[in-house]
């Protein structure tokens, strides 16, 4: 394991000043990690990010660098090569620092935020010994394949099937998936497929999860999708034609996959919420810097009252989103983040980010519409936050139900 992770192992929580606002969510270990991460981004990502943006993905060897830095092993038990921590706060720091620099780490977020919880929750000891050491180093990158063409958010309507062979040694996987982030570079994909037909009482019954080796015969990667934003994360279509999946790669029990998927939704929505807040905070930083440097009618744009009022209003919204995001982080680490609280955090933070980033782009004028400026890329990247992980409308439904409405 990288020696750089030594800084993460100890330290009592302290009040730490971040961005001028007193926060209690991070301690000195998190701030030391922040410094290391910021230096890494400046040295390894910023100089080549335009190339990644043009290519539409980060290079595969970049993930080995993240593995060496220790990013993938923070929440992996020590016996499998990780740091053995049980906290999402280091992920939170990563969200803040990538947003601050106006960059993305390709499709690696799915590897840690989405795939790892399923491995830790469902994998047997034998599976963990096979999967996790390569997960930590980046030798095996993971993705998760749920959405299918024509089904959207209706996961119970998926058509992909996995039938057990007559000799009971493997499943035969057939079907197709779409919108799979990390799908181009993935070495293993957690694929959701039907092992049984739905019942009249429960159409969600019959879905199972499989850790599919992407080198398997019959597995293919289709189009790398041309997205509006998140240009450096590889998002693809996948197809399975009689793919043989060993029974040893079934995750959890047969037919319970839908319930496993629901178990991790709170952490997924926390990640989207915190990431959106971090983007909003970065947008204010970009706009403030721009208006102080840009001159109009003989004076900096920052000198106009409208500019001051707009940025002040944006800062107030960011402060509120920060408080919501931090509260959700503490609840998640304590194992107390409820589905309704996660939905509320996602709804609030993504809607705030939408308003703030739009206003900050407006302050850039025509330059804000140019991709060479980070605010333009941020505007495009942010839009999906109100869609994936459950749309804003779905979040409102969950919150209303929790209210007894």
């Amino acid at each position: 394991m990288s020696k750089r992770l030594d800084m993460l192992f100890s330290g009592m929580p302290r009040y730490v000043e971040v961005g001028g606002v007193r926060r209690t969510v991070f301690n000195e270990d998190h701030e030391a990690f922040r410094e290391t991460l910021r230096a890494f981004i400046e040295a390894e990502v910023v100089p080549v990010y335009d190339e990644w943006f043009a290519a539409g993905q980060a290079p595969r060897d970049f993930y080995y660098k993240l593995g060496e830095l220790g990013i993938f092993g923070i929440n992996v038990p020590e016996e499998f090569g990780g740091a053995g921590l049980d906290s999402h706060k280091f992920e939170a720091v990563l969200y803040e620092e990538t947003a601050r620099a106006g960059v993305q780490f390709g499709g690696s977020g799915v590897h840690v935020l989405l795939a790892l919880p399923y491995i830790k929750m469902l994998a047997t000891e034998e599976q963990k010994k096979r999967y996790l050491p390569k997960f930590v180093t980046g030798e095996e990158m993971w993705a998760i394949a749920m959405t299918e063409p024509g089904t959207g958010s209706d996961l119970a309507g998926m058509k992909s099937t996995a039938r057990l062979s007559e000799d009971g040694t493997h499943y035969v996987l057939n079907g197709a998936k779409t919108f799979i982030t990390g799908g181009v570079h993935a070495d293993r994909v957690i694929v959701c497929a039907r092992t049984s037909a739905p019942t009249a009482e429960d159409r969600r019954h019959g879905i199972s999860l499989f850790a599919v080796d992407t080198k398997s015969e019959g597995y293919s990667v289709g189009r790398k999708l041309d997205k509006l934003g998140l240009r450096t994360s590889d998002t693809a279509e996948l197809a399975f034609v009689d793919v043989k999946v060993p029974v040893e790669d079934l995750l959890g029990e047969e037919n319970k996959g839908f319930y496993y998927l629901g178990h991790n939704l709170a952490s997924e929505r926390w990640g989207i919420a915190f990431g959106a807040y971090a983007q909003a905070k970065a947008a204010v930083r970009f706009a403030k810097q721009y208006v102080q440097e840009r001159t109009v009618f003989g004076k900096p744009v920052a000198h106009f009252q409208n500019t001051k009022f707009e940025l002040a209003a944006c800062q107030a919204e960011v402060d509120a989103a920060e408080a919501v995001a931090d509260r959700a982080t503490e609840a998640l680490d304590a194992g107390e983040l409820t589905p309704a609280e996660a939905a509320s955090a996602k709804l609030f933070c993504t809607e705030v980010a939408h308003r703030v980033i739009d206003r900050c782009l407006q302050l850039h004028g025509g330059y804000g519409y140019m991709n060479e400026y980070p605010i333009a890329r941020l505007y495009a990247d942010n839009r999906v936050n109100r869609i994936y992980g459950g749309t804003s409308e779905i979040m409102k439904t969950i919150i209303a139900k929790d209210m007894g409405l």
Side-chain angles (χ1 to χ4, degrees):
M1 197 60 190
S2 170
K3 292 182 179 179
R4 300 182 194 183
L5 277 176
D6 290 345
M7 69 184 71
L8 308 181
F9 298 155
S10 64
M12 296 299 291
R14 296 176 175 83
Y15 288 101
V16 179
E17 294 285 348
V18 181
V21 178
R22 185 174 292 273
R23 302 169 76 185
T24 60
V25 68
F26 298 126
N27 63 31
E28 291 178 349
D29 291 334
H30 302 121
E31 295 311 313
F33 174 65
R34 186 188 301 278
E35 291 178 9
T36 297
L37 186 60
R38 187 173 296 183
F40 173 83
I41 291 171
E42 289 297 324
E44 301 289 345
V45 182
V46 171
V48 294
Y49 195 71
D50 285 346
E51 298 173 18
W52 297 4
F53 189 84
Q57 62 185 31
R60 178 62 178 84
D61 61 3
F62 173 66
Y63 299 136
Y64 292 108
K65 294 181 181 180
L66 291 180
E68 181 182 353
L69 186 63
I71 296 295
F72 297 149
I74 293 172
N75 291 324
V76 173
E78 291 184 69
E79 60 265 34
F80 303 115
L85 302 179
D86 188 20
S87 172
H88 288 79
K89 293 181 180 180
F90 296 98
E91 292 173 53
V93 171
L94 190 149
Y95 284 128
E96 290 186 336
E97 289 305 305
T98 51
R100 179 184 181 277
V103 301
Q104 299 278 337
F105 279 0
S108 64
V110 169
H111 183 69
V112 174
L113 182 64
L114 299 188
L116 182 58
Y118 290 104
I119 301 172
K120 292 175 67 175
M121 178 176 68
L122 301 175
T124 64
E125 285 302 305
E126 184 276 331
Q127 288 175 322
K128 289 177 181 178
K129 289 177 182 178
R130 283 195 290 124
Y131 300 152
L132 287 176
K134 294 180 180 179
F135 181 101
V136 169
T137 62
E139 184 178 348
E140 279 193 354
M141 293 300 296
W142 287 62
I144 184 165
M146 294 184 280
T147 305
E148 295 185 356
T151 62
S153 298
D154 182 20
L155 295 180
M158 69 177 62
K159 304 298 183 184
S160 295
T161 60
R163 305 302 184 197
L164 188 63
S165 62
E166 291 185 4
D167 61 7
T169 61
H170 62 272
Y171 292 85
V172 180
L173 175 66
N174 285 282
K177 300 289 182 179
T178 192
F179 304 146
I180 310 307
T181 299
V184 174
H185 285 319
D187 301 289
R188 277 196 184 268
V189 177
I190 299 174
V191 177
C192 312
R194 284 207 165 275
T195 44
S196 296
T199 65
E201 296 78 20
D202 188 0
R203 62 191 294 267
R204 299 170 295 182
H205 172 79
I207 296 171
S208 301
L209 307 184
F210 300 90
V212 179
D213 186 339
T214 63
K215 296 184 294 296
S216 302
E217 184 177 354
Y219 180 103
S220 62
V221 178
R223 292 185 304 150
K224 182 170 74 68
L225 300 175
D226 186 16
K227 305 189 300 296
L228 170 67
L230 301 178
R231 303 284 298 182
T232 63
S233 69
D234 50 305
T235 301
E237 296 173 331
L238 307 179
F240 322 111
V241 179
D242 294 333
V243 177
K244 292 183 178 179
V245 183
V247 293
E248 292 82 8
D249 286 327
L250 170 70
L251 283 175
E253 297 181 38
E254 266 196 10
N255 303 324
K256 293 187 177 181
F258 192 94
Y259 307 99
Y260 297 145
L261 296 174
H263 183 82
N264 288 322
L265 279 176
S267 62
E268 178 183 353
R269 288 168 179 163
W270 164 82
I272 297 170
F274 203 99
Y277 140 70
Q279 289 176 325
K281 182 176 183 178
V284 173
R285 176 175 178 268
F286 296 144
K288 179 182 175 182
Q289 180 179 358
Y290 178 82
V291 299
Q292 288 175 329
E293 297 173 353
R294 174 71 170 162
T295 300
V296 177
F297 302 122
K299 64 172 105 173
V301 176
H303 285 200
F304 293 94
Q305 186 183 65
N306 179 69
T307 303
K308 297 176 182 180
F309 281 7
E310 282 292 287
L311 281 178
C314 287
Q315 183 62 53
E317 289 218 74
V318 168
D319 287 346
E322 181 178 85
V324 169
D326 285 356
R327 185 181 69 177
T329 303
E330 296 285 17
L332 182 63
D333 270 14
E336 298 172 353
L337 186 65
T338 68
E341 288 170 338
S344 179
K346 180 182 184 296
L347 176 66
F348 184 77
C349 290
T350 58
E351 294 292 340
V352 164
H354 161 64
R355 294 191 296 270
V356 166
I357 294 171
D358 183 77
R359 294 166 83 173
C360 288
L361 186 150
Q362 187 75 13
L363 289 172
H364 281 71
Y367 290 104
Y369 207 64
M370 301 296 110
N371 273 326
E372 65 186 275
Y373 282 79
I375 191 68
R377 299 180 184 185
L378 195 58
Y379 183 86
D381 290 349
N382 174 262
R383 184 59 184 88
V384 75
N385 289 332
R386 292 183 289 147
I387 298 174
Y388 67 3
T391 64
S392 290
E393 291 73 24
I394 294 294
M395 298 304 100
K396 292 174 184 177
T397 300
I398 294 170
I399 296 165
K401 184 177 180 180
D402 185 67
M403 296 169 65
L405 299 174

